[in-house]
Structures are given as structure tokens and as C-alpha cells.
Amino acid sequence: MLASLKFPPTLPSNRFFCCHCTSSPRTEQPTIDMVKYKEAFAKRMSMAGLKPHHRIAVGVSGGPDSVALCVLTSQWKKDALIGIDEKDGCVDGLLAIVVDHGLRKESKDEANVVHDRVSKLGVRCEIASYDWLDGRPKLGHLQEAARDMRYQILQNVCLENQINVLLIAHHADDQAELFILRLSRNSGVLGLSGTAFISELFPTNNHYHGENSCTNGILLVRPLLDFSKEDMYEICRKGGISWVEDPTNQSPLFARNRIRLSLGNSKLGTFRSEVRALVLACRKTRFFVDRICSNLINQTATVNAHGYVTIDVEKLDPSNVEDICLSKFITVILQFVSQRHRPVRGRTSKLLLEYVRNFPIKTSLTAAACYICPAPRSNGTKILVCCSVDSPLPSEMASSPKYFCEGNKHFTTDDVKDILMNAKSYSDCLVLPDASDVPFLHATTSESILGEAKRRRLLSESTRESIFLLQKEETKHFNAKTEVISPEHESRQEIKHSSTHLRDAVGPGQCHHFMNRFLLMWRVQKLPAGEIASNWNAELVSQDFPCSSCVVGQEASLRTMVEADWLYLARLAKGQTMESCPEDKLLSACKMGKKVSCSDFVRLSAQKALLILKSIPVAARRGLPVLVNSQGLLLSIPNICFKYCPYLSVSATYKPRVPLGGGHSSFL
């Protein structure tokens, strides 16, 4: 496609680059009419399920890649006769976002220059700056930290502007760089497939918007994966817009830069085209594995509202599932239950494969922050995957985000559903190839992947040797860097205590996403909780609580359930206050204005909770959220309907931050 056509760029020595100044030094090359670029772009947008009327944001750094993306996106909307806002003369439903990382003195001025240039295209532009309040990241982790921060800012700006789609300017050359980088990190074929054409970003901090909170992410679309770097320069020239060259992109201190410079120094066009062909073959494998994994989830996995997953191993028939597909299936389940989205590799992956294939399953194990065991009364034909609360917490989960109640202001779920339906209808038309036609399905090492690529005539011997040299050089850099990582850096990655002891403070009226799994809110009301509608707009009480001797205060915190909690419930259920008084009589007494002690209510609540608790497997109970007061006294276990006071209203809904499967993704 377009990626095969070369337009070698002449990079400027100055930071701000004017496209009109470089047309003459370039040698005569075949040029592509802008119409062809626009047609290719429109096709990729259609494959993503996007239409010109959708509200879209574009991440813009000011470099040739993102500027070219801006040019194509604005023209795509204009060609569809999308209106122009009379107030500012900009294309409706299109926002360019420039992130000022604040890492160089010139960054603010550069952001303003980019803003002005993009605005001249008729694209509304917003600059988002970041202050490194905790200090600038160390040089070795600078690009990674800047990337994480950039995506978080892009998400926030999208949400503030009620935009559900973010376009990023990754292209074919970026995929080739990532291939070499991951090859040096011993990635398998799934990692070597590069970045997804479509994926979802799920905000770590957000406002509460009712039912749709934490279920819809920002759609991240990369429509330029078929375009080369040279195409980016050519589109900017044809669009008559200049760009900024970031000098840090030339620094050999960063792995991506070293690989980029090595690939750029290659004079053989066949080398770059063969690497791209190899990446595409890996993506074909990824598409096959993802489709098989999705089918297995639909057929064998059941998500329970109490936060665990049941897998029907008999239906799964793991002995007849390819290793790579089964491993991906298990990883996806574990990542969903734990909400820790780290890859499962090496010995752990092999251990899990052996475990599910040892049918019927009679043992249990802990892996990847999950506890896996046979389901009760299943005779080993089913297994439970529960969150392991004894695993060290990653730093991002050390404190759960708090939300504030607001109207459904930022989420336009109908648009997202419409886009995903359009994208799915396109991918569903593609015939899933037979396993025998899928490359690298049984390749387990980088050597075997490259060897099979050569046998399939995707690579020549010279390209294979060049890739090995690049891999060897970058592996050397990686190993040297790994040796000097300090214990201090390692300690920042995980919190060395179990989540059982995690206490997240949460005040009344605050919505809390506990461990990225349960959405919880509590408050005290003037009427018993059973007598009012269960919504977040109920009238709050004053500082004086309506019942006598109440242990509920204005402060509470969350932790996970422990064995002592159900023993405590058993003791409460045997209480003798107001003997045999049914719950409806307690509520009637409240209606008549009589003071009712919490102790009169707690016995019945504990009895009901114990009945519900019996239906929940013991392994799954340990992941349930528990509300305690400032002295540590148990106030509520909302998942089993226990609460210490009739005036206490607590709601807990299982809403994982990232859905099963990691949200919508496509490697087309």
C-alpha cells in the first residue's frame, strides 16, 4: 500500500521546520496524488466504524506524523460537508489536543506555535500543560513517564469535551520500530504484532455518571498504520503546513530512537518492506488468536456479580486448544478478575496451561494476583477464578480513585455503541482462516518466528541477519539497563502489603471505585433505607443521627472481607434484643416515630446476610468490599445486604474499570 512508496525526508537542522523550504533539495520521486491519501484514510476510518459526524479528538505533538493526521482528518470531515462553527470558523466535532510536557524550556513556545499552525487548518486546538509536582522523571524512564502522562491528559481533555474517539498518528515505521524493540525483549508473536488499530483507554480518575460509569472508555484509533513516515512528510507538504522536529527524538539514549536511526540508515528498500510484511503476518496471527479467545470466553466463562469468574473446563476442552490461544484466554480472565493488566509469561504461563489441562481439576493455585480452585460441587469440571487479596498491590492500585456524583454529562454511550457496531460488522465479514494457514501459531521464540518467516518467504536471508544484528544490539542495551535498576525503583512498582489491610477512606456521598472492581457509595438517611427509593439524590441527615447508640460516623473506610467478618456476623445473628421481632415491625416502629436501636436491627440483617453468604464460594468472599468506621468496627458488607444501622444506605456494584477482554480492540 502507501507504506511501500518511499519519500526519503531531508530532516532540518533547526527545530521549527517549514515544508516549503525542502522541496528543491529532494531528488525526483514518484508522488502520490492527495486524493489517494484521502481515499486510503477514509477507508481506514470506515474500518474503525467512524463516520464524519462523530465527535473526534486528535493528539497533536506538532511533528510531521500528527500534523499529517490533522490534515487528513479535517479534510475528511470537510469532504463530508460537516459544518463550520460560525463562532471560530473551525470544523464541527474536531478537536486537536497539544500536550505540553514541560520537560524543556522551549516546550511552551513550541506548543503555542503548533496551536497557531493547527488553527490555520480550521481545526479547534487546545493546549494541555503538565507540572511534574513529584519531580521530573529520571532520564532512563523519561519517555515512558511522559507517554503515560500524555495519555492520561488526552483522556481527561476528551472527557471534558464530551468526545469518545481519540486519533493517534502511529504509522507503519512505528510498527517496525516496535517490532525490533519487542524482539529484543523476547516478546512472542502476539507482542510482535505491534499496536492495535483500535483499542480502548479506560480513565483511572473520573466523575461518577450513573450506570455508564467505568464501562465505556475512550476509543483509541490509529488510522495511519498503512502509511509510511515518508507519507507523513508528503501529506504535510501537500497540505501546505509546516511541522516541529523534537530534538529529543535524535537522542541515542532512548531505545526507540536508536532503533529508528538504525532503520533509517538502511539503504535497502527491501529491508523495510520485508519488516513491514513480517509485522503484518504477526497481526494476522494476533487476529486469529483474539477471535478464538473471544469465542472461548463467550462459550465457557461466566462473570459473577460478586467479582469472580467461573470457567467450564469441560466445555473449554483445553487439550484441543492451541497453546497460544489457551494461554491468551487464561491471561485475559486473570487480568479481568485482578484488574492488573500485566502480561502473564514464562513459568507462570506454563504452570497455568498444565493446571487447566490436568482434567478433572482437583487442586488450587495462586497466580497473577488470582486464586484459582475447583468450583464447589463440580467434580473438577469447573474452576473459580477469584481475586487474591494476599498479592502485593501495584502502585496504581494502592489507593482507589474517588468519584463525585454528577449528571450523565461526559458519556455519550450511543455514539460509542454505534461506532463499535460499525467496526464489528466490518471485522465479522472477514473469514477466520484455518489454523494451518496462520503463521507463527506454534513459534515460541524469536528465532523460530524469524526462521518460519524465512521459510514462508516473508524475509530474505540478508533481512533476517540484519534483524538479528539489531536485536542483538538492543538486547545488549536492555540488559545493561536492567542491571542498574535500583531497588528503590523496584519498590515503587508494588506496595508490599496485601489488600486485606488496605484501608481506603471514603466519606458519605462519595462514590468510590474499590480496587478498580466495585463501585461503592454510602450515606445515612432520615428514613430507614428500605423505605426510600435507591437513588443517589436521597435527602441526607444532619449531624445528629436519627437512631440511638449508632456507631456510624462521618468517616468510614473500605477493606476486603476476612474470615473474622463472617464469624462476627454469626455472633450478631444470635443477638437477643427485641426477640423474634420481624423486620417489618422494626420498620413500622420507625414510621411511627419510635426510636429504634441499631442493635434491634443488626440481628436480622446479620441473619439475612449469612443466608446470602452461604451461596458465595469461600474463595470469592475474600474479595468482597467491607465498610468499617474509624475504629475499625464493621458497618456494612453491601454485597450480602448486611448493614449495622437501618438508616445506613450502602450500595456496591461490581463494575470493573476494564471490562472482560480489555475492551474493544482490533488488529486489522
Side-chain angles (χ1 to χ4, degrees):
M1 256 197 86
L2 297 175
S4 64
L5 297 172
K6 308 294 186 293
F7 299 94
T10 302
L11 293 178
S13 57
N14 56 321
R15 182 168 293 115
F16 299 111
F17 178 53
C18 178
C19 65
H20 303 295
C21 299
T22 63
S23 54
S24 55
R26 296 171 55 83
T27 59
E28 290 298 324
Q29 296 284 344
T31 59
I32 300 177
D33 190 276
M34 192 66 177
V35 173
K36 298 296 183 182
Y37 285 124
K38 289 160 63 175
E39 287 176 352
F41 180 78
K43 180 182 178 181
R44 294 296 287 185
M45 295 292 274
S46 178
M47 289 169 61
L50 295 173
K51 297 179 180 179
H53 71 269
H54 289 131
R55 295 176 58 79
I56 292 173
V58 181
V60 181
S61 65
D65 310 343
S66 59
V67 169
L69 179 58
C70 246
V71 170
L72 291 172
T73 309
S74 62
Q75 197 61 57
W76 174 68
K77 277 185 168 280
K78 290 175 183 177
D79 289 347
L81 303 180
I82 297 300
I84 302 296
D85 193 319
E86 295 181 357
K87 294 180 180 178
D88 55 16
C90 294
V91 180
D92 280 338
L94 181 58
L95 175 67
I97 307 172
V98 180
V99 177
D100 175 13
H101 298 84
L103 294 173
R104 292 182 291 112
K105 293 180 180 179
E106 308 90 348
S107 64
K108 183 176 181 180
D109 292 336
E110 291 174 4
N112 290 329
V113 170
V114 174
H115 175 279
D116 294 342
R117 290 176 178 175
V118 170
S119 298
K120 289 178 181 178
L121 287 172
V123 177
R124 186 176 296 106
C125 190
E126 181 174 328
I127 298 176
S129 302
Y130 184 78
D131 296 322
W132 298 90
L133 299 178
D134 296 329
R136 176 186 170 122
K138 293 182 179 179
L139 192 60
H141 308 286
L142 183 62
Q143 287 193 328
E144 181 183 355
R147 177 191 177 279
D148 293 343
M149 178 274 296
R150 179 167 62 254
Y151 276 102
Q152 185 60 58
I153 289 178
L154 290 171
Q155 289 180 72
N156 294 340
V157 175
C158 284
L159 292 171
E160 289 166 4
N161 287 275
Q162 303 176 49
I163 293 174
N164 301 292
V165 180
L166 173 65
L167 304 187
I168 298 296
H170 290 141
H171 50 75
D173 287 40
D174 291 324
Q175 294 283 62
E177 293 167 15
L178 186 58
F179 176 87
I180 300 298
L181 180 64
R182 289 184 173 174
L183 200 66
S184 68
R185 307 296 194 263
N186 296 317
S187 289
V189 63
L190 300 185
L192 296 178
S193 61
T195 54
F197 168 44
I198 310 170
S199 56
E200 281 190 84
L201 293 174
F202 296 91
T204 54
N205 293 287
N206 196 9
H207 291 270
Y208 177 76
H209 303 289
E211 284 299 311
N212 294 316
S213 291
C214 306
T215 54
N216 290 106
I218 302 296
L219 288 179
L220 189 67
V221 181
R222 301 174 176 90
L224 302 182
L225 292 180
D226 284 339
F227 293 71
S228 70
K229 182 71 171 183
E230 290 83 0
D231 293 328
M232 303 296 102
Y233 286 105
E234 192 67 19
I235 291 167
C236 290
R237 292 188 182 91
K238 290 184 179 295
I241 185 169
S242 43
W243 61 87
V244 174
E245 290 288 354
D246 186 346
T248 60
N249 287 338
Q250 303 298 318
S251 172
L253 290 173
F254 305 114
R256 291 292 291 259
N257 294 350
R258 290 192 299 270
I259 296 170
R260 184 183 305 118
L261 293 172
S262 296
L263 291 175
N265 290 333
S266 175
K267 301 298 182 182
L268 295 175
T270 54
F271 174 81
R272 298 174 72 183
S273 62
E274 286 180 7
V275 171
R276 289 168 185 164
L278 179 53
V279 173
L280 288 176
C282 291
R283 294 174 77 80
K284 181 179 179 180
T285 308
R286 177 69 183 256
F287 178 79
F288 175 85
V289 172
D290 285 352
R291 183 73 70 85
I292 295 296
C293 181
S294 178
N295 292 340
L296 292 176
I297 289 173
N298 293 333
Q299 295 165 9
T300 67
T302 303
V303 179
N304 189 279
H306 295 300
Y308 63 93
V309 170
T310 303
I311 299 176
D312 190 325
V313 184
E314 192 169 27
K315 284 185 180 179
L316 180 63
D317 192 13
S319 296
N320 290 315
V321 180
E322 298 282 357
D323 283 4
I324 189 172
C325 298
L326 184 60
S327 180
K328 175 69 185 293
F329 167 77
I330 296 171
T331 297
V332 166
I333 298 293
L334 298 183
Q335 289 175 335
F336 169 71
V337 171
S338 68
Q339 286 296 297
R340 305 181 189 193
H341 299 277
R342 298 176 177 179
V344 179
R345 299 193 184 106
R347 288 178 296 178
T348 302
S349 180
K350 291 180 181 178
L351 177 66
L352 289 166
L353 289 178
E354 292 171 1
Y355 177 80
V356 296
R357 284 175 171 159
N358 189 18
F359 187 84
I361 296 173
K362 299 179 181 179
T363 60
S364 60
L365 63 84
T366 300
C370 289
Y371 179 75
I372 310 168
C373 63
R377 298 177 296 279
S378 71
N379 295 321
T381 63
K382 296 180 180 179
I383 57 174
L384 303 180
V385 182
C386 311
C387 185
S388 173
V389 297
D390 296 322
S391 300
L393 290 169
S395 57
E396 65 270 16
M397 291 178 65
S399 180
S400 302
K402 299 175 180 62
Y403 297 75
F404 297 97
C405 300
E406 292 186 354
N408 190 7
K409 159 182 167 182
H410 294 317
F411 287 87
T412 54
T413 55
D414 288 342
D415 274 355
V416 175
K417 290 177 182 177
D418 178 51
I419 294 167
L420 294 180
M421 188 178 300
N422 292 338
K424 191 173 185 299
S425 65
Y426 186 94
S427 62
D428 285 349
C429 292
L430 301 175
V431 178
L432 192 67
D434 185 79
S436 60
D437 296 328
V438 178
F440 318 131
L441 205 55
H442 303 101
T444 56
T445 64
S446 59
E447 289 83 0
S448 60
I449 290 172
L450 295 178
E452 184 176 340
K454 186 186 175 187
R455 287 193 298 274
R456 288 176 176 263
R457 297 184 178 178
L458 294 171
L459 295 181
S460 62
E461 180 59 30
S462 61
T463 298
R464 181 170 171 267
E465 288 298 322
S466 297
I467 290 175
F468 269 132
L469 288 175
L470 284 171
Q471 177 193 9
K472 183 178 179 181
E473 186 65 26
E474 193 49 46
T475 300
K476 188 189 303 180
H477 280 284
F478 177 68
N479 291 338
K481 177 182 174 183
T482 303
E483 291 173 2
V484 299
I485 291 180
S486 66
E488 179 188 359
H489 171 72
E490 290 294 329
S491 66
R492 287 198 299 269
Q493 304 309 304
E494 291 187 336
I495 307 300
K496 299 297 183 181
H497 55 68
S498 73
S499 56
T500 302
H501 305 292
L502 178 67
R503 292 285 183 88
D504 276 353
V506 53
Q510 286 183 333
C511 190
H512 199 80
H513 207 188
F514 184 59
M515 295 182 68
N516 289 330
R517 302 174 72 238
F518 289 94
L519 206 58
L520 187 142
M521 178 182 280
W522 74 275
R523 60 178 58 191
V524 182
Q525 301 166 160
K526 286 188 175 180
L527 292 175
E531 292 293 292
I532 66 171
S534 57
N535 59 60
W536 300 125
N537 297 318
E539 186 179 7
L540 292 176
V541 298
S542 63
Q543 294 293 326
D544 298 319
F545 290 156
C547 61
S548 59
S549 65
C550 189
V551 297
V552 182
Q554 290 294 336
E555 295 181 2
S557 58
L558 288 167
R559 60 168 172 80
T560 52
M561 195 174 186
V562 294
E563 185 176 356
D565 291 330
W566 55 82
L567 296 176
Y568 181 58
L569 289 178
R571 291 200 303 271
L572 291 177
K574 296 177 181 178
Q576 302 299 314
T577 57
M578 292 186 66
E579 287 186 52
S580 303
C581 180
E583 186 175 11
D584 57 349
K585 287 189 176 182
L586 286 178
L587 295 176
S588 297
C590 294
K591 281 184 176 179
M592 296 172 62
K594 297 180 180 180
K595 290 275 187 176
V596 178
S597 171
C598 285
S599 59
D600 299 326
F601 175 86
V602 70
R603 174 175 53 85
L604 293 171
S605 184
Q607 290 172 356
K608 181 186 291 186
L610 286 173
L611 289 175
I612 299 174
L613 193 63
K614 289 180 181 179
S615 67
I616 303 175
V618 174
R621 297 175 189 176
R622 297 187 177 94
L624 297 178
V626 173
L627 187 73
V628 298
N629 68 5
S630 56
Q631 285 77 43
L633 181 64
L634 190 151
L635 297 179
S636 175
I637 308 175
N639 292 78
I640 58 174
C641 302
F642 172 76
K643 54 186 179 180
Y644 204 94
C645 172
Y647 298 90
L648 178 64
S649 173
V650 187
S651 174
T653 306
Y654 184 54
K655 276 190 175 294
R657 185 178 72 88
V658 179
L660 182 58
H664 178 73
S665 66
S666 170
F667 281 79
L668 294 177

